Every structure is written in structure tokens, then in C-alpha cells.
Amino acid sequence: MAYAIEMLNITKDFPGIRANDNVTLKIKEQTVHALLGENGAGKSTLMSILFGLYQPTSGTIKVRGKEVVISDPNIATELGIGMVHQHFKLIDCFTVTENIILGLEPKKFGMIDIKKAAERVKELSELYGLNVDPYAKIQDISVGMQQRVEILKMLYRNAEILIFDEPTAVLTPQEIHELMNIMRGLIKEGKTILLITHKLKEIKEVADECTVLRKGKYIGTIDVKETDEKQMAEMMVGREVSFAVEKGECHPGKPVLEIKDLTVMNVKKLPAVKNLNLTVRAGEIVGLAGIDGNGQTELVYALTGLAKAHGGTILLKGQDITHMPIKKRLDLGMSHVPEDRHKHGLVLDFALKDNFIIHCYNRPPFSEHGVLKPKAIDEYADKLIEQFDVRSGQGKETITRSMSGGNQQKAIIAREIDRSTDLLVVVQPTRGLDVGAIEYIHTRIVEERDKGKAILLVSFELDEILNLSDRIAVIHDGEITGLVWRKDTDENELGLMMAGSLKKMEAL
Amino acid sequence: MKKHNPLVISLIAVVIGLLFAFGLVAITGRNPFDLLTALVRSMTGFNMQKPDAGINPMFVLNWFKYSVPMILTGLSVAFAYRTGLFNIGGEGQFIVGGTAAAFVALCVDLPPIIHPIACLLAAAAAGAVWGFLPGLLKAYRGINEVVICIMLNYSAMYICNMLTRGLLPIDPNTNARTISIPDSAVLKQVTTATASQFNWGFLAAIVGLVIFWFIIEKTTFGFSLKATGFNKEAARFAGMKVERNIILSMMISGAFCGVAGALLVLGEYKYGRIYTGFDNYGFDGISIALVGAANAVGVFFAGMLFSLLKSASGNLQIFQIPSEIAELVQAIIIYLVAIQYAIILVLDKIDFKGFKKKREPKSIEGGDA
Amino acid sequence: MKKVLKMALASLMAVTTLTACSQPAEEENPGTETPTEEKISIGFVTDMGGINDHSFNETSYKGIQEYAAEAGLVEGTDYSYLQSDSETDYMPNLSTYAEEGVDLIAAAGFLFADAITEAAQAYPDQKMLIIDVDSLDPEMTPNVQQAVFAEHEGSYLVGVVAGLRAKNEGYDAVGFVMGQESVTMEKFWAGYQQGVWSVYPECQIYYDNANNFAAPEVGKSLAGKQYNSGAYIIFHAAGATGNGVISEAQERAMNGEDVWVIGVDTDQYAQGYVDEAQTKSIILTSMMKRVDTASYNAAKAVADGTFEGGVVRYTLADNGVGLPEENPNLTEEELAAVEEATQKIVSGEVVVSETAVNNDLTIGD
């Protein structure tokens, strides 16, 4: 079979770092080829080279057997290479069609011929089974639909080779399933797909071949059918990985967090959390399972003080913290790994070391009489970086924004765990992270449990809940619909409770 | 990925701006050497075309004289900017500061040295009040501080004029200002050897620079201000008092401008002013903070640069170069710094090592060395 | 234009006599004079209005230019001006000239009073001229000539014109727009009031203070307000701000409204044309304040070695203030009335007060 793209012996150097080291990537026509690697393995650099954003230091690129020099993205487009970015580049208040034709507007008497464009969009959408309304506005359609608009954008430009950059990071399980079907349909119509991901499940489901990169180096290309997930993971990480978290018996102690009849309003002033009761004890992990949007965010906001509780009480170590300011809750013994690490977790423009002390900057040893103590701050940062293996370009001085998502999350975990509080509220701790980082973070959470901390884990990923929790609480429409022991339950039962069709309160 | 130092970008902008000025002078048939002579004379007091005349320190002191209020208003804008606020209300704060100083100078009887200090403190307080209002509205009502600040600029002018005319003794000869302030309140010339009005008020600028640097770089307060400026939500999440930070930051910013206004009243005008318009020091502060990358060292140099261009105006005209050239240079520098993306692009192109272009926001890779 | 001015100046020079503390005027005809004096250098410092303000700065500098043309001085090397962008530029600009060693530094406007005093003390040998200020202490500033004008007398004349015209055309109000309150400005206002009421005692006079000499947009809106309230003629004493008054009147005249403006400082007739052919101007007349005479005389005195400090007054009697030579918009009757008023003032029969009557006809605010 002919190759659609061959990237041969690509090396790319950045000052102080070799991002790609003699990497070869050969993609057969009409296949889904996966590019697998941890964050920082060099996937994005390789794709940026293919897309003309960077020039390789050495190596050659062939498209359909012909050697090419891709010096800017327009050449890539002319060659039929299209990229569906992880973060969509769409204009919210424009329609689907307007977004698609942006830059390529068909003209009729000098006016944009929207009708003609919309027909073409509809045609393409039907051909590939995308089911997109050409006249819908982007702000009104779901994230999954928006991704399809991105795909249509490429198809509209006659792309033959489609690159998907982490396409499932933002999708729900159903949407992921549909996307896989769309990919298969594209292959059938003669397109070639390059899928960049670190999710093994998806590779297994949709890809034909898989090229693995690790730390910028080419590890190998494998036939997906003949390789299992564990093997792929090991190629990617470079060592054996365990998907299941090693964890011993749990020994719950005194209640640390007690939530009694809590009611919280959402931004629309409607009750999002309704008379909720939940207790988390020392030395246990309570997983809060549920579909996104069932009151988890509001609950966590009320616990941490970002939102006001409208009724009920929250006790931390027996003290009423229901209306306490954030600062006092933190000081009393609450740590919080927030759901949105960019919005709440980090000041992205701060150096790493400053993010480490963002809670305790105004206490000794980091400051005295209102004056910061740089030495203490540096030492503390070095300590955390070493203990938690936070990797970054310039160590503690790195501007957090330039760090990888995994390392940003590690930094937050490091900060929150090291504060050695009694309660750790962890929300979506591994979203968007690769296998290695997930493994690491899970291990640290279990360690904290074993040290006797009470841990409330909020996650939309059932696997994570099942892996980590000792007890599982299920939230549906702002109410606890299930409270079960991990060992006594399974995915099915939880699914029913998450949908609100089963109630079970046995692990009180 | 290497970040370009904003001060390097400013420096490049300055060089381009000056080169452009020389080019323009040349193509309009004037002598670029005259431009150089004028600039050097304004900076050093040395006239390259009359080397025998030696060095005339008056020009240097005039340069310093202009720099003092400009550095202070630059610090003001930079301080607010560090907290994510845009203080365009410098003009108003400048005016209330000047008026407050005039009130204390004319209505309170104090011994020398203490008197001007009392005036400056009053001016700082008045400026702080003028910064407090937009800060308060921003913090608790989310009202855009820019709009409020602009409105308060005019309010300041008219209210201060009304108070001055109504409560202070007006000079009968002109009926357009107060009588002269008592000698005890005047900021004396540092040296009477020249006719320059350069006065001891410059100490206020130095103190301002030190305070700015200390608060922003060294204190927990500055730390929380910066956190608020970069990411309000994260700061709130970390238990910082975001609203208080916004208000305090605007107040401190206002105080800087207030002091600047007072320095002119105490050191140069030596009477309470009735304002007919804005002096533009507050607006100059915006450019200075921008070019100075909103940090103390940068503001100092940007302030010195812009005040040089201002003080060079006279010398340029003496050498028959339109003083608009100085304004043009300023404008070019500001534009270049504002569109620093262009400079970064050029820097990237000429750097053979090839820094990453900032095309893609997700520049995560390569971070984990 | 220049020719007209030159002629006007020449004739003016012929009759100019300086009062009290100044030297007796020289009875030479400047047109035929040969420059026997040594070449001098002159520096002029403008205020914020700039050199092209159609008013104070421009006219003062014109006097210097006139002298320079006679004496063969070259602009840039022998004489020049420095633009001030704010009051904090006054002192640096004055001292820059002093350091340059020019023979005469001139500046116009009461805003310069403090800066000139300071500069005069720093450079006690530097000859300086300040126009429109007479409040400096001659003991402390013996090197400064203070030139002031009897604006109230000139304003009285244009007041007579405004009052007569409004009365004859059946209007009951005229207006006045001031640049900024000051003792000098009050003289304009006072003279205008007395002039109007001398011929038309029932006439209302609207008063507005723009509080700014360099804000045409303010002038325009104030003029609009006054015209809307029924003012027929507006006398502006507001420098560049007055340009806004003129443009408002032009717009109204082009739309068929019958309105007039009385100019100030220079003959502003040419600024007020409302047609392409330049046959009709809305400038009824102008209150000429011969600041160019003051700067011309000072420059000449420096060259002659006759320059002296102290106050020099330019009055109606010596043509320091008055109406332009040409007044195309004035009727015979009006011109006669002006002539009569002039005679009375010069003879002392009418004494124009410098103090305005308090008038609460400020409209709108």
C-alpha cells in the first residue's frame, strides 16, 4: 500500500532541547494511524513540522511519495493536509457555514454567496455522516458538534490527510463513540487520518497502526490489532505500568468533613445541590460519582467557599465552616485540587515557585512582617519539585504557563498535599493527563489516605472513581442517590444510580 | 521556549524610533547632526557645535526636572497595571494632588521641610481618594475603571477649580491663580547656580521608585496584588482578598499621581493652580508604564527617556528642528511597544537558533527538559 | 494681506507715542529708515496656544517679524520662537534663550508673569519683554519691559458698534465669550459692557467663560448657546477658543442665519468669510490690540540702545487698541459713532472703567 505521508529521520532542535530525535513516521493511505506518546514526547513538534509551523533541523518529508518542503501552513493546506486542533478555532457568534468558509468565501457579484457555501457544507456533512446544521450558530451547538465543524472545515478545503490533535479530550463518552464512527466513515471515503493521542483505549478502537514516541525519540511502529494496551503503554512510558492502583485496606477514623442538609444555588439561582448529606472520615477516600452538571461543581464551591451555601451546615473537624471566608477554611485544614487548574489552580503567569506559596505567602517562613523571604521560598520550591518530580524548563523559575498540563497538575497536587491538612478535596485530578502522570497522581492520593487524611474525590470518569475510592457516593440532580462500598459495587450499578434510576444507601 | 525580555523590546523600539527621527530629519533637508547636537545638549548640557562653551548644567537639570513627575505618573499607571487595572485617571489624581498641596501650603502654618512634606502627604491622600472611587466601583460593582477614571478626570478639574476659587486667596493681579504659597512650603531649587527649576521634589520620585519596587517585588502585599492582576479567580481561590487588593492598588496608584501634581505646585508653579486643561502627565504615565514594562527599573528609564524628549523640545527648535520630531519619536516607540508582536517576530527571524514562533498557544512541548 | 498690515503698521508707527515711563517716540518714518543699528537677536516664547493661534502669539511674533524684515534679521539664526506645550515649559524655554544669549526675549500673556520674574532674577542682564502684564515689581525686574494695553477702551468701541447694530436691527441681546477670568480679561468685558450700554441701555449681554484659551470646541458650543438664546453679535476675547465662536457663526450664516462676531487682537475679518469668493465675512469688526506694536517697539529699542524696563502702556490715544483701518461691514452711522466715542475717550470726556458690572446673564448653567 502506498504511503500518504512519510516523515523520514526528522530531527528538530530547540535551544537547549532536542524535541525530535531521528523520528520516522510513515502513514499508509486510507488508514487511521495513531501517534502515541506522553506529554512532552515530541508529538506536537512533529505535527507542527508537518504543518509547516517549524522547519526540521534535519530529515525529509514526502507526501504521496514526492519529497516536499513545507515552509508554511498554506503549503500544507495546498498539499491536502488539514489539522483539527484540540482547542477549536471557531467564532462563536458566526454560523457553521460562516466559520467554515472563513478565508475562502465564495463570491457572487462581490458578495459572499452564503447559500452556495451552505449547500456545499450540507453535502459534505451528509457524505461523511456528520449531521451538522449549516445555519446553526457555534454558540448554540455542543462541543462534539463544534469538533465536526472543524472537521468540515478541513473537508471543505479538500484535505486528504486529516490530523486530529487529542480530539477526545473535550468529548463525552457518547461523543467519543460517534467520533470514532465518523473517522471510520472518512477512511471509507478515501481519506487518511493521523490521530494524536495518549488514550490507549481509543487507539485500540479505531487505529490500524500506531507510532510511539518517547522523550523525542522514535520507539517503534506497531500493528494495533496485534498489540494490547499494556504493551503500548509500556512502549510509551518506557517501563511497566499498572492501571490498577495498589492500595491496602482502609481504616476510617473520625469524621473530618460532615455535610448536613446542604443546599446551594447555581448561577441561575436555582438549587443545584439539594439537602445533601455526606460524611468523609479520616483515612478514607470517598469518590463522588456522577455525570457532569449534577451539582458537583456547586457542591465543591460551597465546600471551599467560592460559592455561598443557602441552607444546611458544613463541619470541618467539628467546626462550622458554612459561612467562613476561604482563607480561614484553608487555614483550618482544607486542601483543594480544583477542577479548572488554569482558572483556579494556578496563576499561570507566575513562576512555579510563586504558585507553590500562593496560599501561605503571608506566613513564616515565607514571609515576615509582610516582607517575602526569597530564600525560604526557593528552598521550599526545590523541595516540592524534587519530591513530586515536577518537571519544567527552568526549574522553580519557570513561568507556569509554559509547563505541560501534567506538570502543572503535579505542581498543584504537590502544593495541596504538602500543606498537610486533614481534608483533601480533589476534583478531576487527572483530566487531560497521560498515563504516567495519572499513575503518579493516583499513587500520591492513596498515600495521603494512608497517612490518615480524609479525601473527597470528585470525578466524571468512572474508572478513576472505581480505582481510587473506598466508598462511592453518587450524585444525581443535586442529591445523593447512592452511597456504596467500592468492593460491593460495579460499573453497572453506579451507572444506574448516576442516571437516577436506582437508589442505594448502604455505606453510611 | 525563551521569552523575550520586555525591556529588550522597549530598547529596540527606542532605537528604531530615534533612527527614524534621524532619517526624517535628513530627508526633510535638515542636518541630522543638529538633531544629535540638540539631544546631546539636552542630556549633557554640552553643545557639540560650540565645544568652547563647555558644559551647561542647566539643560541636564531641566531634563531631570521634567523626569520627576513623569516617573511618578509612570509608576502610578504601572502599579495599577500590575493588579490588572488600567488607571487612566492619572490626570484627575494629579489635579486633586496639586490642589490638596495648595490647600495645605496656604492654609496650614508649618516650619520649612515639614511643610512641603505635609503638602505631599495630603496630595498622596487626595490622589488615593480619587483612585479609591473607581477601585471601589470596579471591585464591588464590576464597573469598568477606565470609564469611571475618565469621568473623574473632569470632575477633578472642575471640583478643584471651584474649591480653589471659593476657598483659597486668589491672586488679584491675574485673578487666574491663588496667591503665591508661603516660602516654607516651597520645594527649593537643589542648586541656585542655574536657572533650572529642578528642586528637592526629585527625592519624592526616588522614594516612589523604591516604594514601588519594594511593594511589588518584596512584600506579601505585592505578591497578592500581582496574583490578583494575573488571575483574579486563582487569587480568590487562594484566599486572597481580591476586592481589597483592587481598591488598595487603585489608591496607591492614585497617590503616586497626586504626589506628582503636588510637586509641580510646590516646586515650579509655587501657587495654587486653576486648571484650564490637563497637563497630560497622567497620560504620559500610560506610555511610560507601557514602555517601561510596568516595573520600577523600566519605568525609571522610560521616564528619563520621555522627559528627555520633552526637555529637548526647546533645543530642537533652537537648532531649527521642529519639536514635533520629539513627539514623533515618542509615538513610534509607543506604537512599536504596543505591537511588540512584530518585534518578537523579527527577533525570532534573525535569531539563527530559531526560537519557537508563537503561532500555537499550546507550547507545552519542549518544556519538560 | 501682508502688505495691508505693513501699511497699517507704518501709519501706526507714525502716530505712536509712548506714554509716561517710556522714551519719547522717534519721529522717523520706518519705511525709509536705513538700519543703522547693530544686528540683534530675539527669542519669542509662545504659550500653549502656539505660534499659529491667529491671536496673541501670532501677532506678537508678527511685530518681531516686521522689525526683523526691516533690520535684515534672518529667522532661525537671528530670531526665532520656542513653542511651550505647558506652563512648566515657560521657565526652561526662557532660560534656553537666556543661555543662548539673545538680546531680547519676548513672551505674551499674563501666564508668563511668574516665569518671567524668575528668569529676570536668574538673568539680571537679560532684556525681556512681557506683554499684557503690569504687575511685576520694577525693583525686582528692572530688565523687564511690561507692555499693557487699554483693552477696556478698545472694547468700549466694539461695544458701541455691537449695541448700535443690535438696536437698529431690532435685537435685544448681544454676547461675550471670555477665554479665562483674569484682571486683563475683565477689562475687555468691562469696556464692552459700557460701550454697548452707552448706545443701547436696555440691551442684554450674555456672558460665558470658556476657562480655556485653546479650546475651539468649547468656544463653538458656547457661541451656539448664546446665539440660540437670542444673541445677535458675539464679541469673543478668547484667543484660539474664539476660533470656535467664529466657525459657529460661519455655519449659521451659511444656513441663512443673521449673526455676527466681533474679533479680537487682530483684524479677524479674513477668518470670517462665508462664501467662496470671499466677499462676505461674519466678522463685524475686530478689537485690535496692537501687541505687534509692543514687540516691534521693544525690538527696535533694544537695537537703538533705548530699551528700558518698567511698564509701557498702549492706549486708544496712541492707537495701541482700536478698530481696524478697514471695516467693510460697518455702516457710516456706526463708524461715526465709533469716531465720536474715540474722541470722547481720548479727550477724557468719557472715562472707561476697568471693572465690569456683575452680570448674571450667564445662560444655561
Side-chain angles (χ1 to χ4, degrees), chain B residues 147-222:
Chain B
V147 177
I148 303 293
C149 279
I150 292 174
M151 295 199 289
L152 281 176
N153 284 344
Y154 290 93
S155 311
M157 183 161 87
Y158 291 113
I159 291 172
C160 287
N161 283 353
M162 198 180 79
L163 290 176
T164 304
R165 273 204 187 279
L167 300 174
L168 291 181
I170 299 298
D171 171 51
N173 288 327
T174 62
N175 195 25
R177 60 178 181 82
T178 73
I179 59 170
S180 297
I181 58 174
D183 207 39
S184 59
V186 168
L187 286 166
K188 301 285 186 313
Q189 278 167 270
V190 174
T191 163
T192 47
T194 78
S196 174
Q197 290 170 310
F198 181 63
N199 55 65
W200 288 105
F202 83 95
L203 292 174
I206 291 174
V207 170
L209 280 163
V210 172
I211 288 178
F212 180 99
W213 169 82
F214 186 73
I215 291 182
I216 292 291
E217 307 294 341
K218 293 288 154 192
T219 66
T220 55
F221 175 52

Side-chain angles (χ1 to χ4, degrees), chain B residues 41 56 58 65-66 161 165 172-177 195 197 268-271 275-276 281 314 317 320, chain C residues 76 81-83 87-89 91-92 95 97 99-100 110 114 118 122-123 135 180-183 211-212:
Chain B
R41 191 186 197 202
N56 186 339
M58 185 202 76
K65 174 201 102 142
Y66 280 111
N161 283 353
R165 273 204 187 279
N173 288 327
T174 62
N175 195 25
R177 60 178 181 82
Q197 290 170 310
E268 295 190 32
Y269 290 93
K270 303 185 184 96
Y271 54 76
Y275 294 82
T276 56
Y281 281 106
Q317 294 176 70
Q320 296 175 57
Chain C
Y81 67 89
L82 285 182
Q83 165 86 40
E87 286 174 57
T88 48
D89 291 339
M91 186 60 191
S95 36
Y97 272 135
E99 295 289 339
E100 281 294 300
F110 68 87
D114 294 270
E118 218 172 317
Y123 303 100
S135 60
Q180 191 184 353
E181 268 181 49
S182 72
V183 172
N211 202 23
N212 195 334

Side-chain angles (χ1 to χ4, degrees), chain A residues 74-125:
Chain A
N74 292 331
I75 296 181
T77 307
E78 280 166 31
L79 288 167
I81 302 170
M83 184 128 160
V84 178
H85 293 274
Q86 184 178 7
H87 302 284
F88 308 145
K89 297 168 186 329
L90 297 171
I91 299 170
D92 274 353
C93 54
F94 275 18
T95 67
V96 167
T97 308
E98 284 164 345
N99 266 289
I100 288 171
I101 62 173
L102 212 61
L104 273 184
E105 299 88 352
K107 301 264 171 62
K108 192 171 160 187
F109 312 120
M111 310 275 279
I112 296 174
D113 192 352
I114 280 285
K115 218 175 141 198
K116 192 174 140 204
E119 273 164 24
R120 175 91 203 283
V121 169
K122 198 153 191 282
E123 235 170 71
L124 286 170
S125 161

